[in-house]
């Protein structure tokens, strides 16, 4: 498809949405007499600014376009990074701030009272000659919406999926135009702005795995919700945010780490979740190949766990995120239904030992063949991907209806899976958590949630310390003190 031609999405015989051509987007920016700024592009050519030059009328938009390719020149302009790298968020932010400061210094406000300034920048590494690394980069814009207003900022991290440098450059150029256009004409609806970044692009060309909005126009934007949109829209398979609630680049926090992952609904996080976390972490750190100072614990919530009646309940998501962050945890939202996929994902960034902490029911599900029918090699292929890595499963027991404790030694899998299970369980891949708190085995998130919703007292003691107070203060998960008063 010619990406300079307008797209019309059809539903039946009706046009439901017209997507402006890339040339039209650039021209609309150029013809706005107030938008004026600079382009600084490093690593993949001046691919974005060329669209504005070609569209016509660019003299009213482009104050300066530059590419500081030489590292010494780049360091002389923007300074030297502490880690000596160039394709980093820190580098991009320095580029944006430096260029904005220059334009403010060089163009006086009394002469240009109506100008709204911007700086667009990217720092990118395209695919290498050996085609081992497909390439990635940071892209951003710092800009005003009103002349007397503080600057807004949109910063995102991308991963190229194409295997040709020229194609990657073209993709970057289109993304850049979409970002600048969206920043000026879609800033009042960040969710749409996010979706429109893929205008004239396909998901198999480009992955966006981190995005952050800041500034006066985005004061009410929660970047965790924007992260959720990335996964929901299929722009990436997983996003992460730290204990401070800020989005983080997965590659950065996972790189060469020992990783312990806990998957759950955490709706809400309970004493069982924290007991599993504390006991499995203690066992994980006792492993000979695990370095305490290089270990990251990840609480993972899958997209399927966020769906309610077919739609994702964003308020519910924020409730869970707020509680996990308050406990000092790193959270990952993923599109991985099967465990082997999350292990594969981690393996992109680390070869160090990994651990999965899970309950008995989760392990039984792993040995259910129905989850692997889409694989040509079926469950054997999945298990090869799961246990081929340096991985251990830390199993938290459950109590059955007869009061018997179920662990790796007496759990029941399908008869056809019995020998396969024995192979992994008896070869040290599955390890029981033995010093668990038996009282916690009677706590279930779904029951706690019902108690909160129905105003039934007593749920507080089933949660980690401080969590009940947060739920009550912010009225999370449908908590309503009036329900308790009514019952009283």
């Amino acid at each position: 498809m010619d990406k300079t031609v307008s797209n019309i999405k059809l539903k039946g015989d009706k046009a439901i949405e017209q997507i402006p051509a890339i040339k039209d987007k650039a021209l609309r920016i150029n013809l706005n007499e107030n938008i004026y700024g600079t382009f600084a592009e490093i690593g993949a050519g001046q691919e974005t600014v060329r669209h504005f030059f070609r569209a016509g009328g660019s003299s009213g938009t482009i104050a300066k376009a530059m590419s500081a390719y030489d590292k010494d020149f780049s360091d002389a302009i923007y300074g030297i990074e502490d880690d000596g790298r160039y394709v980093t968020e820190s580098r991009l932010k320095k580029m944006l701030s430096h260029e904005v400061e220059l334009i403010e210094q060089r163009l006086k406000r009394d002469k240009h009272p109506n100008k709204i300034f911007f700086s667009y920048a990217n720092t990118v590494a395209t695919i290498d000659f050996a085609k081992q690394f497909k390439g990635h980069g940071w892209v951003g814009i710092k800009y005003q919406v009103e002349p007397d207003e503080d600057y807004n900022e949109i910063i995102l991290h991308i991963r190229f999926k194409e295997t040709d440098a020229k194609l990657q450059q073209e993709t970057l150029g289109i993304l850049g135009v979409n970002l600048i256009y969206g920043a000026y004409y879609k800033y009042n609806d960040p969710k749409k702005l996010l979706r429109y970044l893929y205008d004239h692009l396909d998901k198999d060309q480009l992955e966006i795995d981190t995005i952050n909005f800041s500034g006066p126009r985005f004061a009410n934007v929660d970047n965790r919700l924007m992260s959720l949109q990335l996964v929901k829209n299929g722009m990436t398979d997983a996003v992460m945010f730290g204990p401070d609630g800020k989005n983080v680049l997965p590659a950065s926090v996972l790189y060469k780490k020992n990783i312990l992952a806990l998957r759950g609904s955490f709706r809400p996080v309970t004493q069982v979740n924290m007991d599993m976390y504390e006991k499995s972490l203690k066992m994980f750190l006792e492993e000979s190949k695990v370095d305490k100072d290089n270990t990251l614990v990840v609480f993972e919530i899958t997209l399927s766990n966020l769906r309610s009646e077919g739609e994702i309940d964003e308020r519910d998501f924020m409730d869970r995120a707020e509680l996990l962050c308050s406990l000092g945890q790193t959270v990952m939202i993923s599109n991985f239904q099967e465990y082997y996929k999350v292990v594969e994902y981690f393996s992109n960034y680390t070869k160090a030992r990994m651990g999965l902490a899970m309950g008995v029911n989760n392990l039984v599900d792993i040995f259910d063949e129905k989850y692997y029918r889409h694989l040509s090699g079926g469950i054997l292929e999945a298990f090869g991907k799961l246990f081929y890595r340096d991985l251990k499963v830390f199993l938290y027991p459950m109590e059955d209806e007869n009061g018997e404790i179920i662990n790796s030694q007496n759990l029941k899998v399908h008869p056809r899976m019995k020998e396969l299970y024995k192979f992994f369980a008896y070869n040290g891949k599955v390890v029981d958590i033995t010093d668990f708190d038996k009282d916690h085995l009677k706590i279930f998130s779904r029951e706690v949630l019902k108690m909160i919703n129905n105003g039934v007292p007593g749920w507080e003691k089933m949660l980690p310390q401080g969590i009940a107070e947060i739920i009550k203060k912010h009225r999370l998960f449908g908590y309503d003190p009036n329900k308790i008063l009514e019952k009283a």
Side-chain angles (χ1 to χ4, degrees):
M1 180 184 293
D2 184 351
K3 293 181 176 64
T4 63
V5 178
S6 295
N7 263 354
I8 297 178
K9 292 182 178 179
L10 297 177
K11 188 174 184 181
D13 294 327
K14 295 181 180 178
I16 59 172
E17 182 182 2
Q18 184 168 339
I19 301 174
I22 292 300
K23 182 178 179 180
D24 293 339
K25 287 187 176 188
L27 183 60
R28 185 178 177 187
I29 294 287
N30 283 349
L31 295 181
N32 187 317
E33 61 183 14
N34 295 324
I35 298 175
Y36 200 60
T38 63
F39 292 77
E41 304 184 67
I42 296 178
Q46 293 184 293
E47 294 302 315
T48 301
V49 76
R50 71 184 179 92
H51 285 288
F52 291 88
F53 279 125
R54 290 179 177 180
S58 60
S59 60
T61 299
I62 304 170
K64 179 184 76 174
M66 65 170 290
S67 292
Y69 266 69
D70 184 86
K71 291 180 179 180
D72 291 336
F73 265 82
S74 185
D75 289 343
I77 297 169
Y78 303 117
I80 300 173
E81 299 300 312
D82 292 337
D83 57 10
R85 295 188 296 158
Y86 293 86
V87 185
T88 64
E89 183 180 19
S90 171
R91 189 54 155 204
L92 179 75
K93 286 186 172 183
K94 284 182 181 177
M95 293 169 69
L96 291 171
S97 296
H98 178 82
E99 298 301 335
V100 161
E101 287 174 12
L102 283 183
I103 199 169
E104 289 280 4
Q105 290 171 13
R106 293 171 178 174
L107 299 178
K108 302 303 179 185
R109 282 292 178 183
D110 54 356
K111 186 177 179 181
H112 304 282
N114 298 319
K115 290 291 186 186
I116 47 179
F117 295 141
F118 76 89
S119 173
Y120 167 85
N122 63 52
T123 174
V124 171
T126 53
I127 193 167
D128 63 337
F129 284 108
K131 298 190 183 295
Q132 287 184 309
F133 305 100
K134 286 189 177 179
H136 72 110
W138 288 92
V139 181
I141 181 171
K142 191 166 187 170
Y143 72 108
Q144 296 174 299
V145 175
E146 297 291 341
D148 57 349
E149 188 177 78
D150 284 342
Y151 284 83
N152 305 286
E153 202 169 75
I154 307 172
I155 289 178
L156 52 103
H157 181 265
I158 62 173
R159 291 191 173 280
F160 293 111
K161 294 186 178 181
E162 295 163 312
T163 55
D164 178 85
K166 185 172 182 292
L167 292 176
Q168 291 182 354
Q169 290 172 328
E170 292 173 358
T171 294
L172 178 65
I174 293 168
L175 175 74
V177 176
N178 286 338
L179 175 59
I180 297 168
Y181 184 85
Y184 276 108
Y185 296 115
K186 302 295 179 184
Y187 63 82
N188 58 343
D189 193 342
K191 289 182 185 177
K192 281 189 177 179
L193 190 159
L194 204 58
R195 291 200 304 272
Y196 293 160
L197 291 176
Y198 276 87
D199 282 0
H200 309 287
L201 292 173
D202 294 319
K203 305 284 172 50
D204 59 0
Q205 293 176 271
L206 187 75
E207 174 186 353
I208 301 174
D209 58 4
T210 303
I211 192 161
N212 280 297
F213 295 81
S214 60
R217 295 289 169 163
F218 304 119
N220 296 321
V221 172
D222 191 305
N223 283 308
R224 289 172 295 184
L225 271 182
M226 292 301 105
S227 278
L228 175 61
Q229 298 301 315
L230 292 178
V231 182
K232 181 181 175 182
N233 296 335
M235 298 174 180
T236 188
D237 286 323
V239 293
M240 298 181 71
F241 47 89
D244 59 1
K246 293 182 180 178
N247 294 343
V248 294
L249 180 64
S252 176
V253 296
L254 296 173
Y255 186 64
K256 292 187 176 181
K257 289 283 198 308
N258 291 117
I259 302 167
L260 176 65
L262 297 88
R263 171 179 288 188
S265 63
F266 308 114
R267 192 176 184 247
V269 57
T270 66
Q271 297 249 33
V272 175
N273 300 132
M274 297 313 292
D275 194 39
M276 184 187 301
Y277 152 67
E278 290 165 3
K279 303 299 168 54
S280 62
L281 179 59
K282 181 174 180 290
M283 294 172 69
F284 189 56
L285 294 176
E286 289 172 354
E287 297 279 321
S288 60
K289 294 184 178 180
V290 176
D291 178 2
K292 180 180 179 180
D293 296 329
N294 193 47
T295 295
L296 177 71
V297 179
V298 178
F299 280 66
E300 183 208 8
I301 306 174
T302 65
L303 208 61
S304 59
N305 255 325
L306 291 172
R307 297 192 186 279
S308 175
E309 297 178 0
E311 289 296 321
I312 291 175
D313 185 336
E314 293 183 352
R315 179 64 258 170
D316 184 79
F317 161 70
M318 289 306 302
D319 291 354
R320 303 189 218 186
E322 189 168 338
L323 294 184
L324 288 171
C325 288
S326 73
L327 292 168
Q329 302 303 330
T330 298
V331 180
M332 182 169 88
I333 310 299
S334 83
N335 204 20
F336 307 125
Q337 188 167 354
E338 299 89 357
Y339 273 102
Y340 78 86
K341 288 185 177 178
V342 74
V343 172
E344 276 191 314
Y345 179 77
F346 290 149
S347 298
N348 291 327
Y349 307 110
T350 183
K351 303 303 177 191
R353 172 159 291 179
M354 289 180 269
L356 295 176
M358 66 180 73
V360 167
N361 283 335
N362 297 109
L363 186 61
V364 172
D365 278 346
I366 286 180
F367 283 86
D368 192 330
E369 290 180 284
K370 71 181 180 184
Y371 295 113
Y372 313 110
R373 287 170 185 156
H374 62 289
L375 296 175
S376 58
I379 193 170
L380 290 177
E381 181 180 342
F383 274 58
K385 293 177 177 180
L386 181 63
F387 287 112
Y388 175 74
R389 268 85 182 182
D390 192 359
L391 173 80
K392 278 196 176 181
V393 171
F394 299 94
L395 189 66
Y396 198 83
M398 67 175 283
E399 187 177 24
D400 68 11
E401 60 272 14
N402 300 317
E404 184 183 0
I405 302 298
I406 308 299
N407 57 25
S408 70
Q409 302 302 309
N410 59 355
L411 67 81
K412 292 180 174 60
V413 296
H414 192 283
R416 282 205 306 271
M417 296 295 107
K418 205 168 183 180
E419 294 306 315
L420 182 64
Y421 171 72
K422 284 182 180 178
F423 175 78
F424 290 108
Y426 298 158
N427 277 282
K429 290 291 189 180
V430 180
V431 184
D432 284 308
I433 296 173
T434 56
D435 58 340
F436 57 91
D437 189 324
K438 190 175 180 181
D439 291 337
H440 291 162
L441 298 182
K442 300 183 186 300
I443 300 174
F444 298 94
S445 287
R446 60 182 178 274
E447 298 301 326
V448 174
L449 190 63
K450 283 181 185 177
M451 293 173 74
I452 295 173
N453 287 333
N454 296 327
V456 178
W459 54 268
E460 295 90 343
K461 65 178 181 294
M462 302 180 187
L463 307 183
Q465 188 174 2
I467 293 299
E469 287 73 16
I470 295 174
I471 290 175
K472 290 178 178 179
K473 180 180 178 180
H474 299 288
R475 299 197 178 190
L476 308 182
F477 301 112
Y479 172 77
D480 184 354
N482 294 323
K483 288 182 180 177
I484 300 173
L485 292 174
E486 287 169 10
K487 287 180 181 294

